[in-house]
Amino acid sequence: MSHNMLSYSGGVVGLIILILDLIVIFEVLNSSRAMSGKLGWSLLVFFFPVVGLILYFNRAEHNRRYDPII
């Protein structure tokens, strides 16, 4: 029984990564970045989904709609 549950976990994780990638790509395309920046971030996320997500959320300058707590 646990073997069947583990076989579905890759599909769920892949679906979550796909949804996050699409969110990032739409956010990048709707941003005020230069076209080269949009293309660079989109290609990075497209070709390296997990690494691209991590780099985008850690390194990209986001238009923050809130003030950081710290």
Side-chain angles (χ1 to χ4, degrees):
M1 184 69 157
S2 65
H3 176 68
N4 291 336
M5 293 301 289
L6 291 176
S7 66
Y8 290 115
S9 64
V12 172
V13 172
L15 182 63
I16 291 170
I17 291 172
L18 175 66
I19 291 170
L20 289 174
D21 284 342
L22 291 174
I23 290 170
V24 167
I25 289 173
F26 286 129
E27 182 178 318
V28 166
L29 293 177
N30 290 328
S31 70
S32 61
R33 291 181 172 84
M35 186 57 71
S36 61
K38 290 180 182 184
L39 181 64
W41 279 112
S42 297
L43 288 176
L44 180 71
V45 170
F46 181 77
F47 286 114
F48 306 103
V50 176
V51 174
L53 282 173
I54 293 170
L55 288 175
Y56 182 76
F57 285 119
N58 285 329
R59 301 289 181 201
E61 296 177 12
H62 304 283
N63 293 332
R64 299 191 188 270
R65 297 184 184 110
Y66 61 90
D67 293 327
I69 297 173
I70 297 176

